Amino acid sequence: STHMCYNENAFDNYENILCVGKHQINEIRKREEIKNLKKKNLIKYFHNRIFMMNEFCIKSNKNFQKNKIIITSSWGIGSIAENLDENFLILLLKNNYEIFLQFHHMQINRKSKIKIDYLGLKKLFKNFTYSFNYLNIEDLYSHATMISDWSGAATEFALGFERKVIFIDLPKKIRNKNYKKLGIEPLEVAIRSEIGYVINPLNIKNLDNYVKSIIDKQHLSATKKEMISIRKKYLFEKQNNEYLLKQLYN
């Protein structure tokens, strides 16, 4: 969404905005109404990253690996990196899951705040790796599921690869403290329980049960159909360039 994770006036001065879904159009129009802003040209676009992931998913002749899990931490005070220690990872590693911990690249400036002893885990477990760099789509595709906080990467994974994910319910990423004035629930809040499990940090000891439950169902056609339905519910389909140009110069 446009109104919680971004600064309050982030989109106010644009004339043309490519919107990935109807929710963004509703949010921007509502802010224009509240703040008496000049109406923008809002273009029905598509989510390029999710589209590319889905294209790879369709064309790939490989399957994901059931024992591989990627954990994506956002950065800052609400992130996995700064809220959880390594114990929740040890539980999964001892159950022979191959874990890749992807820190947000911005977290490298806050290394001293990281609670997870990732260097120690690397020494103790051969099935653990980490990075401050992002995986390419092919490497990302090999993972059975993703565990995240409020990172948008989890939504991309779920809707791009049509697999369910797990959210650890840590503090929200809020850059606009006045986001509730729009009276619209941000998509990143609403969609979480639709595309996976939302786990209270106090129940983190049961994480392996949630992981097993999700991975056991990832290959089912019902899971794929559900994710496709959710993607179509929230995101616009890809349009041809002629259609986009007509909207831009109309």
Side-chain angles (χ1 to χ4, degrees), residues 3 17 29 59 62 112 164-165 176 188 216 235 244:
H3 61 306
I17 299 180
R29 290 291 185 234
K59 294 176 182 178
K62 299 179 182 179
S112 62
K164 293 204 171 188
V165 294
N176 172 18
E188 56 267 36
D216 284 348
L235 301 179
L244 295 173

Side-chain angles (χ1 to χ4, degrees), residues 42-64:
L42 302 183
I43 300 166
K44 292 182 179 180
Y45 199 56
F46 67 103
H47 197 298
N48 189 56
R49 171 75 171 172
I50 289 176
F51 175 80
M52 289 192 300
M53 293 170 74
N54 188 239
E55 282 285 285
F56 183 87
C57 188
I58 292 169
K59 294 176 182 178
S60 178
N61 57 4
K62 299 179 182 179
N63 293 318
F64 62 83

Side-chain angles (χ1 to χ4, degrees), residues 17-22 24-25 28 42-46 236:
I17 299 180
L18 307 179
C19 299
V20 301
K22 188 68 163 60
Q24 291 184 338
I25 293 176
I28 293 168
L42 302 183
I43 300 166
K44 292 182 179 180
Y45 199 56
F46 67 103
F236 295 132

Side-chain angles (χ1 to χ4, degrees), residues 14-222:
Y14 289 97
E15 294 178 341
N16 299 284
I17 299 180
L18 307 179
C19 299
V20 301
K22 188 68 163 60
H23 60 284
Q24 291 184 338
I25 293 176
N26 292 340
E27 294 155 7
I28 293 168
R29 290 291 185 234
K30 186 67 175 180
R31 177 155 177 86
E32 289 172 345
E33 178 187 331
I34 291 173
K35 294 294 180 178
N36 195 29
L37 300 172
K38 181 180 177 181
K39 276 200 168 187
K40 302 163 189 65
N41 183 25
L42 302 183
I43 300 166
K44 292 182 179 180
Y45 199 56
F46 67 103
H47 197 298
N48 189 56
R49 171 75 171 172
I50 289 176
F51 175 80
M52 289 192 300
M53 293 170 74
N54 188 239
E55 282 285 285
F56 183 87
C57 188
I58 292 169
K59 294 176 182 178
S60 178
N61 57 4
K62 299 179 182 179
N63 293 318
F64 62 83
Q65 298 180 37
K66 288 187 174 183
N67 69 321
K68 289 186 69 173
I69 302 169
I70 180 169
I71 298 174
T72 54
S73 173
S74 186
W75 69 284
I77 58 175
S79 65
I80 286 174
E82 297 188 21
N83 282 270
L84 302 178
D85 61 25
E86 63 276 4
N87 286 318
F88 85 103
L89 290 169
I90 291 173
L91 179 67
L92 297 173
L93 291 165
K94 284 184 175 180
N95 282 333
N96 297 316
Y97 287 108
E98 187 176 329
I99 304 294
F100 177 75
L101 174 58
Q102 181 177 293
F103 292 106
H104 194 287
H105 67 91
M106 292 290 287
Q107 192 69 49
I108 202 165
N109 299 320
R110 295 170 60 93
K111 272 190 173 183
S112 62
K113 303 288 186 180
I114 296 176
K115 291 186 176 182
I116 299 168
D117 182 14
Y118 55 94
L119 295 175
L121 287 175
K122 180 70 174 173
K123 291 178 181 178
L124 287 173
F125 295 95
K126 292 181 179 180
N127 51 331
F128 174 78
T129 53
Y130 72 91
S131 180
F132 288 88
N133 297 316
Y134 299 147
L135 294 180
N136 60 43
I137 288 178
E138 183 174 2
D139 290 336
L140 189 61
Y141 178 80
S142 67
H143 295 81
T145 192
M146 179 181 285
I147 299 171
S148 191
D149 38 43
W150 286 92
S151 172
T155 302
E156 293 172 358
F157 187 97
L159 300 185
F161 294 147
E162 295 157 5
R163 299 177 206 154
K164 293 204 171 188
V165 294
I166 295 172
F167 295 98
I168 300 173
D169 201 19
L170 295 168
K172 293 184 180 76
K173 291 167 58 179
I174 300 174
R175 292 193 179 92
N176 172 18
K177 294 181 180 180
N178 297 317
Y179 78 93
K180 290 184 179 179
K181 288 184 177 181
L182 262 63
I184 300 174
E185 186 177 40
L187 180 65
E188 56 267 36
V189 178
I191 202 171
R192 298 173 103 208
S193 59
E194 294 186 54
I195 61 176
Y197 295 140
V198 181
I199 302 176
N200 188 307
L202 297 176
N203 293 329
I204 202 78
K205 60 183 180 295
N206 297 317
L207 181 59
D208 58 330
N209 293 327
Y210 289 101
V211 167
K212 185 179 186 307
S213 176
I214 272 189
I215 292 177
D216 284 348
K217 298 175 183 176
Q218 296 290 51
H219 69 285
L220 299 177
S221 59

